[in-house]
Amino acid sequence: MANHSLPSSEKTANASEASWSPPLSKRILRFFGWPFWAIIVMVTFGVTGYAATSALLSLNTPKGCKSIYWPLASGARRLYCAQVEAKEGDAENLIDAIALVSQLPENHPLRAEIDKNIKLWSEEILVLGERQFQAGNLEAAMAITNDIPSGVAAKEVIEEKVQRWQKIWEKGEAIEKDVEERLKQAEWNLAFEEAGRLVDLDNEYLANRRYTELVATIQQAKIEGAVLQEAWEILDQGGLKNLLTALEKAQTIDADSYSYDGAQKLITTVGETLMREAYNNLNQRRWKTVLEITQAIPESFDSEFDLEEEVTDLRQIALAGLEAESGSIGGLRQAIAQAETIVEKRPLHEEAQQLIARWEKEIDDVEILNLAKGYASGGTTADLRAGIDKADEVPRGNPRYQEAQVLINEWNRKVQTIEDRPILNRATEIARDRNISAYESAIAVARNISPNRALYEEAQDKIATWRDKIERIEDQPILDRAIRLANQGSLERAVVTAEKIAPNRVLYQDAQGRIEDWRDKIERIEDQPILDEATELAKQGELEEAILTAQQINSNRTLYQEAQMNIRSWRNDLAARENLREASQIAEAETVDALTRAIKNVTQAFNSETYRYQAERLLNRWSEQIYEMALQRASEDNLASAIRIAQQIPSQSNLYQTAKNKIERWQEELTVNSEQTSADDN
């Protein structure tokens, strides 16, 4: 086998190469290659650029604005951060944004951009202030505008806005003050009118919410005012029940009501009236009413007006008075005991002592009257006189003096009746014979009962009755004779006979009534021929003679009114006849003017029933003549003249409506002709 070995020199060289090693960087470079390292370089530069860019960008973020040291911050940085701050949208952020850029000098390169943003942000702040103002928060709106830094470009706009707010708010306050004054005066309608002025103000809170609140306040005040008014009206009606009802209504009005002062005045009036009524009834000894008043007064009312003790004393006295009203000795003693509970220094102590003294005297009087009643109970004149003597022991001025006098008068009447009744009975018995002599004797006996006696009025009534019967017995034959004469036709003799019955006699009025009837018949018999003659003359057309004849009946005669009525009718006929004569003469001319005057005359005859038909006939005939004349003028194309003529036809005429229609047609034709003429001229 051949040995192919290197020469020794080559081995040495190889050995040396094998023992040498290149540097580490070259080895790494040789290991990864150039493409790898190119990528590494690119990535490194990219990361570095990204990191630098991110660092720069992080300065222009909201988080970055919070960490900036503003004295060294640039204008652009300030503007950016101010814009970030303003994006929050509330007033505080907008004000901070303005403050952030307002510190930059006027000659700053970004001044135009800064001023534009300040103006925008100021307007946004004013919008927020306007919202607060419209919501009724004037102070909040003012606070917002006050925080805007001075010297900004929108300051004049801000001041103008604030002045507007203040002016509107002052108007609203003035209106509310006027409303309040109207409410205090109870002028509800005027208060509504004043409140209505809020609607015209440029503020949503005042025009809507505050207006609604005021209207509700006025309505409530009006309701309370109506309650108070009703309470006053009830109070004016008087009476305990009405007083208490008025008090109850007034006490329902709260202290914050506009009617409260009026209610308190009414309550005071009720209190004064109740106490006055209580004392009035106390003075008149109306114990039950006093008790009702004191029991009706509310306890709160007593404490409010410091009347507890006074009302309590009134109640005690009223209870005592009711005990005393029983009239018994036991009741009076109980009343005294009740009144003695009102001790010294109490409001009504003096009144209680006066009543105690009165009731003590009354006890003595009751004892006397009880004895007197016992004496009189027997019913004989002796018993009654004994009772009278005992009752007369009650002194004048004592509480039961009037009662004693009533008993004395009653017993005196009984004594007089016992004494006088036999006299009156005897007179009545005598009068039963029913003749003049018996009646006169009865009258004589009854006259023994003198005035101021118990049976005096009864005796006088019987005397008057018996006198009437005497007069009737005396006068009835006279009246009967007069009636017979009248029935026989002797009316004048009947009158003369009836006139014999003198005035103040029982049959006088009956006689006078018959005399009046008979005289009427006499006058009618005497005057009827005169009236008949006048009527006949009038039928014959002799109106003047008829009037003269009827005038012969005098004003105090029975047929006078009938005669006068006929005279008025005949005078109307006479005037109507003359009017017709004159009208006919005028119409003979047959001209429009003559016929018109004739129609005017003839209408005056319409008041006469006799000549009315003739007057109407003539009026229609002459109206026809006028109408024919109008038609003739119209046929001659003289429409204006035709209209004037037709207008003379009176409304009473049968042709009036026909003529009216013609006039309207002719007037239309005149109008058309006039318009046509004007068109031709043009």
Side-chain angles (χ1 to χ4, degrees):
M1 174 176 194
N3 188 6
H4 298 284
S5 59
L6 291 172
S8 57
S9 58
E10 290 180 359
K11 290 181 179 181
T12 303
N14 289 335
S16 61
E17 289 178 2
S19 62
W20 180 81
S21 176
L24 180 61
S25 60
K26 290 183 179 181
R27 282 184 290 167
I28 293 172
L29 181 62
R30 184 183 300 166
F31 179 80
F32 288 101
W34 289 105
F36 170 78
W37 294 110
I39 292 171
I40 291 298
V41 170
M42 291 175 66
V43 169
T44 300
F45 280 110
V47 169
T48 302
Y50 175 78
T53 303
S54 297
L56 289 173
L57 291 176
S58 66
L59 295 175
N60 287 339
T61 63
K63 291 183 179 179
C65 289
K66 293 180 180 178
S67 61
I68 293 175
Y69 181 63
W70 293 114
L72 299 179
S74 65
R77 187 70 49 80
R78 283 178 176 273
L79 179 59
Y80 171 75
C81 289
Q83 291 171 337
V84 171
E85 187 78 16
K87 286 181 180 179
E88 295 295 326
D90 59 26
E92 184 178 355
N93 294 113
L94 290 167
I95 290 169
D96 289 344
I98 293 174
L100 193 60
V101 296
S102 295
Q103 299 175 7
L104 294 174
E106 291 295 326
N107 59 355
H108 195 281
L110 294 175
R111 173 49 60 184
E113 185 68 17
I114 290 169
D115 289 344
K116 183 177 73 173
N117 280 275
I118 287 175
K119 183 176 183 299
L120 176 64
W121 298 334
S122 298
E123 291 173 352
E124 291 180 6
I125 291 171
L126 289 179
V127 169
L128 295 174
E130 183 70 26
R131 288 177 185 172
Q132 291 289 342
F133 171 70
Q134 292 296 332
N137 302 320
L138 178 63
E139 292 183 0
M142 298 286 288
I144 289 173
T145 58
N146 289 338
D147 289 338
I148 299 175
S150 60
V152 301
K155 195 65 178 179
E156 292 182 358
V157 177
I158 295 169
E159 291 176 354
E160 181 180 350
K161 179 74 72 172
V162 168
Q163 289 175 1
R164 172 179 161 273
W165 292 344
Q166 289 175 332
K167 186 175 180 181
I168 292 173
W169 203 259
E170 287 171 359
K171 286 182 179 179
E173 289 177 340
I175 291 171
E176 292 193 25
K177 185 176 180 181
D178 291 341
V179 170
E180 187 170 358
E181 289 299 319
R182 297 300 185 185
L183 291 176
K184 289 179 180 178
Q185 300 298 323
E187 297 172 340
W188 318 121
N189 292 335
L190 294 177
F192 278 117
E193 290 181 10
E194 293 291 345
R197 292 166 52 200
L198 286 175
V199 178
D200 298 329
L201 299 181
D202 188 14
N203 182 274
E204 293 180 2
Y205 169 77
L206 294 175
N208 295 312
R209 180 177 171 183
R210 189 59 188 142
Y211 169 73
T212 303
E213 292 173 351
L214 272 184
V215 168
T217 299
I218 295 169
Q219 289 174 337
Q220 181 62 30
K222 187 176 181 180
I223 292 171
E224 293 167 345
V227 171
L228 181 58
Q229 179 64 30
E230 184 182 1
W232 279 111
E233 291 174 356
I234 293 172
L235 177 63
D236 290 340
Q237 294 173 14
L240 177 60
K241 184 178 179 181
N242 289 329
L243 281 171
L244 297 176
T245 302
L247 175 63
E248 182 180 355
K249 287 185 175 293
Q251 288 177 329
T252 63
I253 298 175
D254 296 331
D256 58 352
S257 171
Y258 287 97
S259 298
Y260 180 74
D261 291 341
Q264 293 305 301
K265 182 178 178 181
L266 183 142
I267 290 171
T268 301
T269 302
V270 170
E272 293 172 351
T273 305
L274 284 173
M275 295 305 294
R276 185 167 58 251
E277 286 295 314
Y279 278 106
N280 287 340
N281 284 280
L282 177 67
N283 294 333
Q284 297 175 27
R285 307 293 185 257
R286 295 175 181 169
W287 310 116
K288 186 178 180 181
T289 305
V290 174
L291 186 61
E292 288 177 352
I293 292 173
T294 57
Q295 289 176 338
I297 297 175
E299 293 182 4
S300 60
F301 186 82
D302 295 346
S303 59
E304 184 177 355
F305 292 93
D306 195 21
L307 297 173
E308 293 94 337
E309 291 187 352
E310 196 169 353
V311 172
T312 300
D313 288 358
L314 283 168
R315 189 177 295 119
Q316 287 292 98
I317 289 178
L319 290 171
L322 288 172
E323 291 286 352
E325 272 188 349
S326 66
S328 66
I329 293 175
L332 289 166
R333 286 175 178 166
Q334 184 64 33
I336 291 171
Q338 186 85 19
E340 285 176 341
T341 61
I342 302 175
V343 297
E344 288 188 46
K345 297 184 179 179
R346 295 287 296 185
L348 272 73
H349 174 71
E350 184 176 349
E351 286 83 353
Q353 291 302 307
Q354 291 175 0
L355 288 170
I356 289 171
R358 173 187 176 87
W359 291 332
E360 287 174 345
K361 289 181 181 180
E362 198 168 347
I363 289 174
D364 296 337
D365 295 345
V366 170
E367 291 176 344
I368 294 172
L369 292 177
N370 285 343
L371 288 172
K373 291 175 184 177
Y375 295 158
S377 62
T380 66
T381 55
D383 294 334
L384 292 168
R385 291 188 188 282
I388 291 169
D389 292 340
K390 191 62 182 177
D392 202 34
E393 293 179 7
V394 177
R396 183 183 295 275
N398 269 29
R400 294 297 180 97
Y401 176 76
Q402 291 299 328
E403 183 181 345
Q405 293 302 306
V406 169
L407 289 172
I408 290 170
N409 290 335
E410 180 184 346
W411 294 335
N412 272 325
R413 287 181 63 83
K414 287 183 178 181
V415 169
Q416 293 170 7
T417 301
I418 292 171
E419 293 175 343
D420 294 345
R421 178 58 67 185
I423 299 173
L424 194 56
N425 288 343
R426 186 166 66 254
T428 303
E429 186 65 27
I430 294 170
R432 285 180 179 175
D433 288 345
R434 298 181 181 179
N435 55 56
I436 293 175
S437 177
Y439 290 137
E440 288 177 345
S441 297
I443 290 171
V445 173
R447 281 178 176 171
N448 290 319
I449 301 175
S450 61
N452 301 322
R453 300 286 287 182
L455 296 180
Y456 177 75
E457 293 297 332
E458 185 179 347
Q460 292 300 308
D461 288 342
K462 287 184 177 294
I463 289 171
T465 300
W466 296 331
R467 279 176 176 166
D468 287 349
K469 289 183 178 181
I470 290 172
E471 291 176 0
R472 191 175 294 277
I473 291 171
E474 293 174 342
D475 294 343
Q476 189 64 53
I478 299 173
L479 186 58
D480 291 343
R481 186 165 60 253
I483 293 172
R484 284 196 302 272
L485 289 171
N487 291 336
Q488 294 169 3
S490 300
L491 295 174
E492 292 182 353
R493 292 178 61 194
V495 169
V496 172
T497 301
E499 284 179 337
K500 294 178 180 179
I501 300 175
N504 301 322
R505 303 282 287 183
V506 68
L507 292 178
Y508 177 75
Q509 292 299 329
D510 188 4
Q512 291 299 307
R514 292 178 183 276
I515 288 170
E516 185 176 351
D517 290 341
W518 296 334
R519 281 177 174 164
D520 286 347
K521 289 179 180 179
I522 291 170
E523 291 176 359
R524 191 173 295 276
I525 291 170
E526 292 174 347
D527 295 342
Q528 190 63 53
I530 298 173
L531 190 58
D532 292 342
E533 181 184 355
T535 303
E536 187 61 31
L537 288 170
K539 288 179 180 179
Q540 296 172 6
E542 302 294 334
L543 297 175
E544 292 89 344
E545 290 77 3
I547 292 170
L548 291 173
T549 301
Q551 286 176 339
Q552 296 176 23
I553 300 174
N554 294 329
S555 58
N556 58 348
R557 306 287 286 183
T558 302
L559 292 178
Y560 176 75
Q561 293 298 331
E562 184 179 350
Q564 291 299 309
M565 183 177 65
N566 288 339
I567 288 171
R568 285 194 294 272
S569 175
W570 296 333
R571 281 176 175 164
N572 284 338
D573 291 345
L574 192 62
R577 187 170 66 185
E578 183 62 22
N579 288 332
L580 291 176
R581 187 187 63 78
E582 292 178 357
S584 297
Q585 289 179 350
I586 294 171
E588 288 177 356
E590 295 187 347
T591 63
V592 173
D593 181 60
L595 293 172
T596 301
R597 287 191 294 116
I599 289 173
K600 185 176 181 181
N601 266 30
V602 84
T603 54
Q604 297 177 15
F606 281 16
N607 293 329
S608 171
E609 292 296 329
T610 304
Y611 293 100
R612 181 180 181 83
Y613 174 75
Q614 184 179 351
E616 290 176 346
R617 187 166 54 82
L618 289 172
L619 181 143
N620 286 321
R621 189 177 74 188
W622 295 334
S623 296
E624 290 175 2
Q625 290 181 262
I626 293 174
Y627 184 64
E628 291 296 331
M629 293 178 182
L631 292 176
Q632 180 62 33
R633 294 293 178 89
S635 66
E636 298 170 356
D637 293 332
N638 193 347
L639 297 179
S641 179
I643 291 171
R644 284 194 297 273
I645 293 172
Q647 285 174 340
Q648 304 305 312
I649 297 173
S651 59
Q652 300 95 326
S653 171
N654 294 336
L655 282 173
Y656 176 74
Q657 190 59 45
T658 303
K660 185 178 178 182
N661 294 337
K662 277 290 187 183
I663 289 170
E664 291 175 356
R665 191 176 305 118
W666 292 337
Q667 286 175 336
E668 291 174 359
E669 290 182 17
L670 275 177
T671 302
V672 171
N673 293 340
S674 176
E675 291 175 353
Q676 184 63 43
T677 302
S678 297
D680 294 342
D681 292 342
N682 292 333

